[in-house]
């Protein structure tokens, strides 16, 4: 008989790891013990040599659904074999259980429980087990046990208690374990607070809710990490009413469908997309809607053409672009959707741009005049965790909003970052996430949102404190964006002052590049990359606003090699909200007077002439609220507005550019010539991309009467062309460039992203792209963290 | 004095030209008994002061503005009212002002005379006297046409002690009328912005108004004039110092349609625009009706209104939109720079 000690690190606590080891040990005839300790899980095993080898293999391969192994260390053990069966040793006080897992979608076993009439959890909407259910959304502190969650007030009934203490049960030590006898309850009420009791024909209030939805009502449904506003997505009147009440007129609405088959009636779903939809993360996946009148190619459906949802679902976007679908991820959602052949709208319960409600009282108050009925429960949502948003591009899942299901799963930092001291990176201003660094890992918060919103700000402060407690984190330095107006920057400065901590400033686009490097495991000493950051706006080193940047970067520093030609934003923020201002600013670069004369017949020119151009011209001349920006996002706005997309105003971020993309069939890109851009080297040696020639061609094509799709395609092609040309030049000139990193919010545009990636890879370049953190500002905190860590390690 | 021609370096040399400028123009315009004594310092009887209160208020401010003259006023009106208001919002009765001029050679004498005249009018209206002063002339480029410094003294009646740190949850926020007029008037007056707006500065002395307010509510918690940085900056200072949040109701904010229109074009937030005759008061809720009523009986308070309230918090100013949204209105770090990515 031989023996060994196996130490396993990673996400191995609170996921049913010990009972799994216990089960494997019994199956493979191993004696010994398993326990949690401060580093993870510790196994002591005795058995035949061959059995021990097999045991070690299955330990790594056969792990619980929510577990992640980061490391396994095996050492010899010189001790006598203990008597009896393999045992789970209870955690002792002093064992550290730091950290907390993401919320996970309902597992197949729990799903079976709730649909099985003889099961004691039949139709119980809060069913969960160690393989699924709430985590981050219900936690108040550590250690992660029931007392520190919003389950604290629910005492386990004898049946649940038995499951909780039985290592062979999948609810062994499942902290939120509950059943209808002892757990949280669901109820339906109207807007006066009156309970709505089920009809005789209905099994429970979920059935009633379903009936009300069918009748066209709008319900606020309290879910896992927040409250949704829900209506029947196929009911045009209901969708219109929901949009009106929520004041969300344009932005597409998220959908939830019962199963994959329902989604496939509307969208083509690839294998990768299906896997993502059905994963434990269960995010919203942006799917291409099946184009009109095209028969579906799925088996057994040859004759059926794609089903149609009311156009209102898509907001301002045309048919055939993207729909955001998710699958039911809690028992409540699974039960609610059981009988639905069409999707339900599942949008956050709020007014546009505010954080969604999470408490019963708040929902009752804020949903007045918005919802008709409320489906509520008494398992408090402690932390708001929004639905994550993802998209599969070039076969890889890309997280666009990292929230429910993903946060706060740690990201392991690349080689070289192992010895970093604890750091706190405050993130950006919009789409904010923050990040903690400890033990060579970065822990990103869930997406929090726009810090200008007072409620989001309160959550930001709350969540910062919560994470520091959950991860027992005391930062040795604080990293902020350079923008003096970011609230995250101001709070970071204040904390650094109050706690006498070093403050590290990371340039916005350098942080974008570093985030891309870090998530691609680019080693600390891996050398330099060429970061191509196509972005909205970020504070630049020179006091102007950047956003179309070519940076030679490593983790500690960067050099600006090129950028788009700086163009004024007449009226500052107003230019973001009114895209036509950017069109005019770009045409002003071209010479507005001559453009006006030459293209006077264009509707677009006439439209601009009706604006207060004389005032804007003076503002620009005198530098009144007309900051210069090299932003690629603003260039997109300018082109989109020129073509008539959301010209006067946008109602959500990036709307004009998104509409432009949506109106451009991808196949067109391969057959149109690129618009020309001017690539020039300035006196300082920096490269500048000047879109002036592009504008001239665009105006001529508009005059010729080309359609918008063709013009947009040529613009996209032109960008791909000039960006890859500059990238090629720089890589040739500078052999120290080892790879290219693509980052920035503009890369959410799939046409540009895929086209550029393909071209760069075709040139034989090694290209790093975002996948597990957003390419938008949601990923900034990871980059800030990496920059901060690298700078401290370099000292 | 002959008012053709312009100010030259000779006007500052200490000779005859200077004598003429100071005696024949400035003293003549500002004429009052204390100034007429012609000594190097104003000699103010202490009894004048002690009769009015138990503390002396003393303040100074320098005034630079382009252009010097604008609809509804000029740099002189600003220089008087600004200093009067700085005294008044401390609860003081403003009494005496000093006045220093730094003049760039080339300033038209006629313009200077007009500005002096405006100062005299403003001083009379506020009931204060300009009792001492100084004049310097600098070479072209050494200053921008005209800079004025005024200092003022006033007396604070016993018991009045408004302070930025005294706001309490439950208090009510009052302003005395339309916001942003001055900021927009100045921008517009800089010319060729090609804006079609007819907005005058709101520049006015506020001491009559504050007197009426203190008469009905000696316990005004916070009081400030909302000049540079606008309403938002004053309220942020109150909130931070007091450790409360202020919630403003967007639909209550008194902003004229043309001011809104200009802000929309220029991309400026009216909450940060300068005012020269606007004060912000934070008063106990039960005193608010009386304060508001007293204000409405004074011309400078005719358009007074409640714009929000103080709530428990940690020093934020929050703007509640008509639909219930809540936006943080914080202090600007510098110029208004877009934050959106
Ligand atoms: Fe960005
Ligand atoms: Mg002052
Ligand atoms: Zn489960
Ligand atoms: Zn139970």
């Amino acid at each position: 008989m031989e023996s060994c000690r196996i130490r396993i690190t990673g996400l191995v606590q609170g996921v049913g790891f010990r009972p799994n080891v216990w089960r494997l040990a019994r199956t493979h005839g191993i004696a010994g013990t398993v326990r949690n300790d401060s580093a993870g899980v510790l196994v002591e095993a005795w058995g035949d040599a061959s059995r021990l080898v097999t045991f070690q293999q299955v330990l790594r391969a056969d792990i619980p659904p929510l577990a992640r192994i980061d490391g396994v260390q095996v050492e010899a053990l010189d001790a006598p074999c203990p008597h009896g069966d393999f045992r789970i040793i209870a955690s002792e006080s002093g064992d550290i259980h730091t950290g907390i897992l993401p919320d996970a979608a309902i597992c197949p076993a729990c799903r079976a429980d709730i649909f099985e009439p003889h099961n004691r959890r039949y139709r119980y909407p809060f069913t969960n087990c160690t393989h699924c259910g709430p985590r981050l959304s219900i936690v108040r502190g550590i250690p992660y046990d029931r007392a520190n969650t919003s389950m604290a007030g629910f005492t386990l009934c004898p049946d649940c208690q038995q499951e909780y203490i039985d290592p062979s049960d999948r609810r062994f030590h499942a902290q939120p374990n509950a059943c209808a006898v002892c757990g949280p309850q669901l109820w339906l009420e109207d807007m006066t607070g009156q309970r709505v009791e089920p009809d005789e024909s209905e099994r429970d209030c979920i059935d009633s809710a379903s009936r009300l939805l069918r009748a066209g009502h709008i319900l606020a449904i309290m879910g896992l990490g927040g409250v949704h506003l829900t209506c029947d997505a196929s009911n045009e009147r209901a969708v219109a009413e929901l949009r009106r009440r929520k004041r969300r007129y344009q932005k597409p609405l998220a959908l939830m469908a019962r199963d994959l088959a329902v989604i496939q009636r509307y969208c083509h779903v690839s294998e990768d997309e299906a896997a993502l939809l059905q994963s434990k993360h269960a995010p919203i996946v942006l799917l291409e809607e099946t184009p009109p009148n095209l028969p579906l190619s799925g088996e057994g459906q040859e004759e059926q053409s794609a089903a149609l949802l009311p156009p209102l679902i898509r907001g301002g976007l045309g048919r055939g672009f993207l729909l955001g679908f998710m699958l039911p991820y809690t028992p409540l959602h699974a039960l609610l959707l059981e009988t639905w052949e069409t999707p339900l709208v599942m949008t956050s319960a709020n007014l546009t741009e505010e954080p969604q409600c999470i408490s019963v009282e708040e929902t009752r108050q804020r949903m007045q005049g918005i919802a008709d009925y409320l489906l509520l429960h008494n398992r408090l949502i402690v932390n708001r965790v929004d639905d994550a948003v993802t998209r599969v591009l070039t076969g890889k899942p890309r997280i666009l909003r990292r929230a429910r299901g993903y946060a706060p799963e740690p990201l392991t930092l690349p080689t070289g970052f192992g010895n970093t001291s604890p750091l706190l990176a405050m993130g950006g201003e919009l789409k904010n996430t923050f990040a903690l660094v400890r033990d060579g890992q970065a822990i990103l918060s869930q997406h929090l949102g726009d810090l200008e919103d007072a409620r989001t700000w309160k959550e930001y402060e709350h969540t910062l404190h919560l994470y520091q407690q959950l991860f027992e984190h005391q930062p040795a330095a604080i990293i902020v964006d350079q923008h003096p107006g970011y609230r995250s920057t101001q709070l970071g400065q204040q904390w650094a002052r109050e706690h006498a901590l070093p403050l590290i400033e990371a340039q916005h686009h350098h942080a974008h590049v570093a985030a891309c490097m870090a998530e691609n495991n680019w080693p600390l000493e891996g050398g330099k990359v060429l970061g191509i950051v196509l972005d909205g706006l970020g504070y630049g080193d020179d006091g102007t606003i950047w956003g179309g940047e070519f940076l030679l970067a490593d983790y500690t520093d960067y050099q600006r090699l090129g950028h788009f030609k700086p163009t004024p934003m007449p009226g500052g923020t107003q230019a973001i909200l009114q895209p036509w201002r950017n069109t005019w600013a770009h045409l002003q670069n071209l010479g507005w007077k001559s453009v006006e004369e030459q293209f006077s017949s264009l509707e677009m020119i006439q439209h601009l002439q009706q604006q207060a151009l004389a005032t804007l011209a003076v503002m620009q001349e005198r530098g009144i609220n007309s900051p210069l920006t090299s932003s690629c996002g603003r260039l997109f706005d300018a082109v989109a507005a020129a073509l008539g997309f959301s010209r006067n105003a946008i109602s959500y971020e990036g709307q004009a550019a998104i509409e432009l993309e949506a109106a451009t069939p991808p196949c067109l890109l391969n057959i149109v010539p690129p618009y020309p851009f001017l690539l020039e080297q300035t006196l300082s040696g920096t490269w500048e991309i000047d879109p002036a020639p592009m504008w001239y061609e665009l105006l001529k094509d508009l005059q010729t009467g080309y359609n918008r799709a063709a013009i947009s395609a040529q613009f996209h092609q032109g960008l791909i062309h000039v960006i890859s040309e500059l990238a090629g030049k720089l890589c040739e000139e500078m052999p120290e460039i080892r790879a290219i990193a693509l980052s920035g919010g503009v890369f959410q545009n799939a046409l540009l992203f895929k086209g550029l990636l393909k071209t760069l890879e075709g040139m034989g370049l090694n290209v790093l792209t975002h996948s597990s953190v957003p390419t938008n500002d949601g990923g900034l905190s990871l980059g800030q963290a990496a920059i901060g860590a690298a700078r401290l390690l370099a000292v | 004095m002959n008012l053709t021609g312009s100010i030259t370096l000779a006007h500052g040399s200490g000779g005859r030209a200077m004598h003429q400028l100071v005696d024949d123009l400035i003293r003549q315009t500002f004429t009052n008994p204390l100034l007429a004594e012609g000594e190097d310092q104003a000699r103010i009887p202490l009894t004048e002061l002690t009769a009015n209160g138990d503390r002396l208020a003393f303040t100074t401010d320098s005034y630079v503005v382009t252009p010097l003259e604008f609809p509804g006023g000029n740099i002189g009106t600003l220089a008087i009212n600004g200093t009067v208001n700085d005294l008044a919002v401390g609860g003081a009765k403003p009494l005496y002002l000093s006045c220093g001029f730094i003049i760039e050679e080339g300033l038209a004498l006629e313009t200077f005379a007009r500005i002096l005249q405006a100062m005299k009018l403003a001083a009379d209206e506020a009931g204060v006297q300009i009792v001492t002063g100084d004049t310097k002339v600098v070479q072209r480029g050494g200053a921008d046409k005209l800079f004025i410094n005024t200092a003022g003294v006033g007396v604070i009646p016993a018991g009045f002690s408004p302070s930025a740190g005294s706001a309490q949850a439950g208090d009510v926020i009052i302003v005395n009328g339309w916001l942003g007029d001055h900021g927009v008037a100045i921008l517009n007056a800089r010319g060729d912005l090609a804006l079609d707006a007819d907005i005058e500065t709101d520049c006015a002395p506020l001491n009559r108004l504050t007197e009426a307010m203190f008469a009905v509510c000696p316990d005004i918690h916070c009081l400030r004039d909302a000049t540079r940085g606008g309403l938002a900056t004053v309220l942020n200072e109150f909130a931070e110092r007091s450790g409360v949040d202020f919630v403003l109701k967007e639909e209550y904010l008194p902003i004229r349609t043309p001011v809104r229109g200009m802000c929309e074009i220029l991309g400026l937030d009216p909450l940060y625009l300068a005012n020269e005759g606007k004060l912000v008061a934070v008063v106990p809720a039960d005193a608010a009706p009386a304060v508001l009523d007293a204000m409405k009986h004074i011309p400078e308070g005719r358009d007074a209104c409640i714009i929000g309230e103080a709530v428990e918090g940690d020093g934020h100013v929050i703007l509640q939109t008509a639909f219930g949204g809540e936006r943080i209105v914080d202090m600007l770090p510098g110029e208004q720079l877009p934050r959106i990515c």
Side-chain angles (χ1 to χ4, degrees), chain A residues 265-594:
Chain A
R265 279 179 213 140
Y266 305 92
C267 295
H268 175 75
V269 184
S270 71
E271 256 175 56
D272 296 318
E273 288 163 342
L276 191 54
L277 282 162
Q278 294 170 314
S279 69
K280 65 182 179 186
H281 314 293
I284 295 172
V285 182
L286 301 181
L287 298 167
E288 268 167 44
E289 196 180 5
T290 310
N293 306 322
L294 273 187
L296 286 174
S297 53
E299 277 156 51
Q301 310 180 315
E302 284 92 320
E303 294 310 307
Q304 191 189 346
S305 79
L308 208 59
L309 288 171
L312 273 174
I313 293 289
R314 305 174 197 97
L317 304 181
R319 175 118 205 259
F321 191 50
L322 299 171
L323 291 176
F325 266 108
M326 58 187 153
L327 291 172
Y329 55 85
T330 70
L332 169 58
H333 294 127
L335 293 166
L336 180 71
L337 276 116
E338 182 188 2
T339 58
W340 284 81
E341 298 295 325
T342 53
L344 293 179
V345 169
M346 283 277 173
T347 184
S348 49
N350 56 2
L351 288 168
T352 288
E353 307 306 324
E354 291 173 19
Q356 60 180 320
C357 307
I358 57 172
S359 80
V360 167
E361 265 323 301
E362 195 189 6
T363 307
R364 281 177 179 149
Q365 252 175 41
R366 283 172 61 195
M367 286 299 109
Q368 287 295 338
I370 299 181
D372 298 316
Y373 296 92
L374 310 174
L375 190 60
L376 301 171
H377 61 72
N378 57 352
R379 187 179 71 193
L380 291 187
I381 300 170
V382 180
N383 303 302
R384 173 173 65 93
V385 192
D386 293 341
D387 293 319
V389 180
T390 62
R391 185 174 182 182
V392 175
L393 291 174
T394 65
K396 251 192 186 180
R398 317 276 176 178
I399 300 179
L400 302 174
R401 182 163 79 196
R402 199 170 177 278
R404 177 185 50 75
Y406 293 99
E409 184 168 337
L411 297 156
T412 302
L413 288 171
T415 313
F417 282 100
N419 294 322
T420 44
S421 29
L423 304 175
L424 171 61
M426 306 297 287
E429 175 82 353
L430 296 192
K431 299 188 173 68
N432 177 281
T433 63
F434 61 84
L436 310 182
V437 174
R438 60 158 204 187
D439 304 334
Q441 294 193 316
I443 297 147
L444 266 65
S445 73
Q446 74 269 32
H447 160 92
L448 292 167
D450 172 3
L451 300 186
E452 189 180 42
D453 184 282
R455 295 186 183 103
T456 308
W457 176 258
K458 283 198 188 111
E459 286 184 350
Y460 178 63
E461 288 186 312
H462 159 83
T463 314
L464 273 166
H465 288 290
L466 176 78
Y467 272 57
Q468 290 191 296
Q469 204 218 332
L470 292 181
F471 297 96
E472 295 193 311
H473 191 265
Q474 278 198 318
I478 291 182
I479 308 123
V480 297
D481 192 274
Q482 283 178 325
H483 197 307
Y486 278 13
R487 288 169 187 82
S488 57
T489 301
Q490 291 166 0
L491 185 66
Q493 288 167 340
Q494 189 190 326
W495 280 21
R497 248 193 333 267
E498 284 169 7
H499 299 98
L501 296 174
L503 183 77
I504 298 171
E505 291 191 340
Q507 197 277 326
H508 187 94
H509 303 102
H510 184 208
H512 271 300
V513 178
C516 187
M517 293 163 72
E519 76 149 290
N520 282 283
N521 276 314
W522 190 261
L524 178 59
E525 304 295 346
K528 292 185 192 299
V529 306
L530 173 66
I532 302 179
V533 190
L534 305 184
D535 204 20
L537 306 173
Y539 195 77
D541 263 354
D542 55 1
T544 70
I545 300 169
W546 294 3
E549 309 303 313
F550 291 74
L551 307 180
L552 178 67
D554 55 23
Y555 286 109
T556 46
D557 219 341
Y558 74 94
Q559 185 193 342
R560 194 184 192 200
L561 300 180
H563 54 80
F564 281 71
K565 181 180 171 136
T567 301
M569 293 169 65
T573 302
Q574 199 70 329
I576 301 164
L577 305 175
Q578 302 181 343
W580 64 264
R581 289 177 184 249
N582 303 289
T583 312
W584 179 77
H586 275 275
L587 296 180
Q588 178 87 331
N589 277 350
L590 211 63
W592 170 246
K593 275 279 157 270
S594 73

Side-chain angles (χ1 to χ4, degrees), chain B residues 59-63 82-83 86 225 227-228:
Chain B
T59 186
T60 183
D61 221 331
S62 299
Y63 298 84
T83 296
D86 278 351
D225 51 342
T227 53
R228 237 183 338 179

